[in-house]
Every structure is written in structure tokens, then in C-alpha cells.
Amino acid sequence: MDWSDSAEQAAFRAEVRNLATEGLPPLYRRMAEQGRNEANWQSDRGSDDPARREAAEGWAGALADHGWIAPHWPKEYGGAGLGPMEQFIFKHELAMAGAPEVGGHGVMTLGPTLIVHGSEEQKARYLPPILSGDVAWAQGYSEPGSGSDLASLQTSADRDGDEYVINGQKIWTSGAHVSDSLFLLARTDRDAPKHRGISFMIVDDIHTNGLQVQPLVDMGWRHEFNETFFEGVRTPTTHVVGEVNRGWYVGMTLMDFERSGVAGAVRLRADLDRFVAELRGEERWRSRIERYPALRSVVAERLEETEVGFNFSARIASMQDQGIVPNYEASIAKVFVSETGQRLAQTASRAFGLYANLWDADDPRAPLHAGPTQDYVRRVATTIYSGTSEIQRNIIATRGLGLPRS
């Protein structure tokens, strides 16, 4: 396939690249150059570190000046109204620069869902603060017993006059500890079949009475996930998005936005490029590449895989540009890119031998600021979240290959 830009696309790419070059705050630029994937707009905006807060605010302001906070939203709602290929280019260039996404769940998922299913009052209330970056959102979907089978969720919402009373527990609630508000799926009809009787609703204040956020620290000592407990949490009936008991279909709307995965594919290639540069540079004495030449062929395999991953993403964007909804194609890309990331981290760790035991990114002996070591541990989760590899393979088998369900 020929993924060359048209003249208009090339001009747009140059504009985005210029912003990523000139507008990215110095702190984020240094992190990207060092391969330290620590920039996180949602965490940084409320950080105790003034430099991180300044970087988050500066980057959000730079994007807002170009109208690019929500590139995929329609213009009438404050977005840039970009088509699928322009969105692909936009994410490609920002990922190449190591720039963090701005807006989190609010921009990527809740906003588009409100545009499709929300009332006019809900759009007027929630969309502007999302665009300005004043409100960060968390998503309450998964539960301890409802991960891959999300429709089996048990968190309940019982109507009491003009309010719903929510009770239950959510898990893996990304960024809840640095969020202002939360949207969730809750069961509003216990007697209905499991895909029905679910409603999509909003809790304005994540610090409201009865809602507790408890940290989940992963095996890489990073706090990104949380458990959220609901004990008599109240939210107005006007905060239900779409029809009551039809929230499953509202919630699934979110799954159709941004499916190319280009950012992940591009970041893997950037990680690989830094890895290869280290193997060739003055610090190559830390690697085992010269003592074990067979490692070269393994590195070459990783290079091929990052190219394949990018092409999977480009194919999906091309399909969307033609009005085709990628289904099993998105699952193929998700499985391949997430597993390639794990193999890349393993390869880099093997190449650096005992130096790969160094975890501290600031240790001068640690190769690539301990990036391969930390990635080796933290990328375990990539084949689990956003749909496990097992579930994705089932989708590929049934919808892509036409195999019967077992």
C-alpha cells in the first residue's frame, strides 16, 4: 500500500510537526528525548511539581490555540472536525514528538458519546470544560468480576425520586485519583437480561459523599489504576446519558473512537530507534551485542515488527477514511502491537545483560534511563487492558476468519 500524503495532508502534517517542535514544553521535550514515558497530562495538571503543572498547562494551551484539543470532534461542538486520515497524521506526529495527549477520557470517549447520545443540556454543561482542560474524567466500567464480560457488571443504581443511588465497586479505574468527575455503567434493572437493564450515568464530583478512590500500585511501582467504591452515591436522574436501561449501547459507542492505535505503534518505533542508537553509540560497552551476534537478528525482527505494526494502524485509518468500520482489523493491530512491545522490552533487556537489573532511571549506569527494564515489567499489562489478547483472538477468529464460536 502507498501511505504517501496528498498535498493537503502534507501541509497539515507540517503544521502539526511545527507545533510539536515549537510548542512542546521543554520538560516534555527532554522526557521524549531520553525515552522516559512519564509525561501524563492528567497527572501533571494536578502535580505537586510546579514544572509538571506548567508543562501540562502550556501544552494544553498550545493545542487549544490551534483548536486541536479535540481533533475528532465536530466543529460545531468546538472540535477540529478532522477526518480519519488527518486524525491519523495528527496522532502520528504527536507520538513521534513524544507529546502527551490532552483531555484524557473526556476528550477521547465521553465527549464524542455525549455528542451522539447526550441531551442539549448535557452537551452545554460538560463539553466546554472538557475542551478547556478544566475537568478531567475517569471511566467506571470494569468490576472485580466483570472484566472481559463487562455486561455481567453488578454495580447498581436504584431510583429514589429525582436521583439514583449507586452502590458497588469498580476496578482498574485509570486516573481516578487525579480526576474531577466520573462516568460509569450501572445496573438499573436487575431482572433484565445482562446486556439490558444497564444505564450510562455521570457523577459530577468524584469526591462526593460515599465515593472512595483507593490506589492500585502495579508491580512497576506506578500508580495509574484505582479501585472505586460506591456506597449510597447520589446522582440526579438528569445525569443519565441516553435512555435508561439502554446504557450498554451508549457505552459501546465509546469503543468506536480512535481504533488505529498509531500512537502505540509509533512510540514502539521510537523506543527501538533509541535502543539501536545506544547499541551503536559510545555507551555500547554496556551491551552484549558484540559478544552475542545472534542478538542482531533478534533486533532486526523487532524492526520488522514495528514496521508491520505501523502498517496495521495505517490500514485501519485508511478503512475509516473510506467509511468502513474496522472490526477484526483493530483487534489484529491491538494484539500485534501490544505483544511487539513486550518482545521489544525483552530484547533490549537481554541485550544489556546485568545492566538491565538497574531500575533507577537516574542511575548513570542504567541503559536508556532504565527504559527497557521498566518497560519489561510495565508492559505485562498491555495484553490485558483494552481487551485481553485472548478476547481479541476470539474476535479475529469469529469475525475475521469466520470460525464458529466454541
Side-chain angles (χ1 to χ4, degrees):
M1 299 295 292
D2 182 7
W3 305 125
S4 300
D5 293 338
S6 66
E8 293 80 7
Q9 290 168 346
F12 176 68
R13 184 184 296 277
E15 186 179 3
V16 177
R17 185 174 297 173
N18 181 67
L19 174 66
T21 301
E22 302 297 331
L24 191 64
L27 176 63
Y28 286 162
R29 190 177 300 116
R30 286 196 300 273
M31 288 180 176
E33 290 171 351
Q34 296 173 356
R36 300 172 72 158
N37 299 319
E38 301 171 5
N40 184 305
W41 171 82
Q42 191 151 323
S43 297
D44 292 343
R45 64 189 283 273
S47 173
D48 294 331
D49 184 347
R52 284 187 174 268
R53 289 201 307 273
E54 183 180 352
E57 293 169 3
W59 181 230
L63 289 174
D65 289 343
H66 285 74
W68 288 343
I69 289 285
H72 56 303
W73 290 18
K75 289 184 177 180
E76 58 265 36
Y77 293 105
L82 300 183
M85 290 308 298
E86 285 71 28
Q87 292 178 45
F88 179 82
I89 291 169
F90 180 81
K91 286 187 169 293
H92 183 193
E93 290 300 323
L94 264 54
M96 289 288 288
E101 295 183 356
V102 170
H105 281 301
V107 165
M108 288 307 305
T109 53
L110 178 62
T113 300
L114 288 174
I115 289 171
V116 175
H117 295 284
S119 66
E120 292 305 314
E121 291 77 12
Q122 289 170 341
K123 294 174 188 176
R125 180 186 181 103
Y126 296 116
L127 296 184
I130 292 174
L131 286 173
S132 64
D134 290 336
V135 177
W137 289 83
Q139 172 182 285
Y141 271 23
S142 295
E143 298 183 4
S146 303
S148 298
D149 183 18
L150 180 60
S152 66
L153 64 87
Q154 295 300 309
T155 294
S156 64
D158 299 303
R159 184 157 184 170
D160 180 18
D162 293 333
E163 295 179 315
Y164 279 99
V165 182
I166 306 169
N167 289 282
Q169 179 187 357
K170 299 291 181 178
I171 199 168
W172 315 125
T173 318
S174 302
H177 59 297
V178 289
S179 296
D180 306 296
S181 305
L182 177 142
F183 59 91
L184 73 153
L185 293 175
R187 191 162 296 284
T188 45
D189 185 347
R190 295 177 179 83
D191 298 325
K194 68 178 186 179
H195 285 87
R196 302 177 185 177
I198 293 173
S199 297
F200 184 111
M201 55 186 62
I202 288 171
V203 176
D204 275 345
D205 184 2
I206 205 167
H207 304 292
T208 192
N209 291 335
L211 204 168
Q212 295 185 12
V213 177
Q214 298 292 336
L216 287 174
V217 178
D218 65 23
M219 61 185 181
W221 301 291
R222 181 179 289 179
H223 177 199
E224 294 181 343
F225 303 117
N226 305 272
E227 293 179 288
T228 46
F229 297 89
F230 300 80
E231 297 181 7
V233 174
R234 291 179 172 269
T235 193
T237 57
T238 55
H239 285 22
V240 172
V241 179
E243 296 181 43
V244 174
N245 295 331
R246 299 279 292 177
W248 176 261
Y249 309 99
V250 177
M252 292 306 99
T253 300
L254 279 72
M255 303 306 179
D256 285 334
F257 296 106
E258 179 38 38
R259 306 185 73 188
S260 74
V262 63
V266 168
R267 290 191 181 112
L268 286 187
R269 183 53 183 268
D271 288 346
L272 176 67
D273 289 343
R274 281 188 290 268
F275 169 42
V276 171
E278 185 89 347
L279 296 180
R280 291 173 171 171
E282 295 179 358
E283 304 297 324
R284 62 181 178 274
W285 55 269
R286 281 181 292 207
S287 79
R288 306 189 299 165
I289 198 78
E290 294 181 359
R291 281 176 288 163
Y292 300 98
L295 280 172
R296 295 176 184 271
S297 63
V298 180
V299 175
E301 288 177 7
R302 300 293 89 84
L303 172 62
E304 293 170 354
E305 289 171 349
T306 58
E307 282 294 306
V308 171
F310 177 81
N311 278 276
F312 276 145
S313 299
R315 180 193 180 200
I316 292 168
S318 178
M319 292 174 65
Q320 291 175 315
D321 196 47
Q322 299 173 58
I324 302 171
V325 177
N327 197 301
Y328 70 88
E329 295 89 351
S331 292
I332 291 172
K334 201 282 181 177
V335 169
F336 190 85
V337 171
S338 61
E339 294 184 356
T340 295
Q342 292 177 345
R343 289 191 292 269
L344 175 57
Q346 182 187 49
T347 299
S349 297
R350 286 177 57 196
F352 291 119
L354 290 176
Y355 285 99
N357 288 325
L358 296 169
W359 182 267
D360 185 357
D362 295 319
D363 190 321
R365 300 166 299 170
L368 295 167
H369 300 278
T373 305
Q374 295 186 14
D375 286 343
Y376 182 77
V377 174
R378 289 169 175 164
R379 283 179 180 163
V380 169
T382 61
T383 49
I384 301 172
Y385 61 62
S386 299
T388 67
S389 288
E390 292 77 12
I391 293 297
Q392 302 297 342
R393 285 189 167 90
N394 284 341
I395 293 172
I396 296 165
T398 56
R399 301 179 188 176
L401 299 176
L403 298 177
R405 294 180 180 273
S406 59

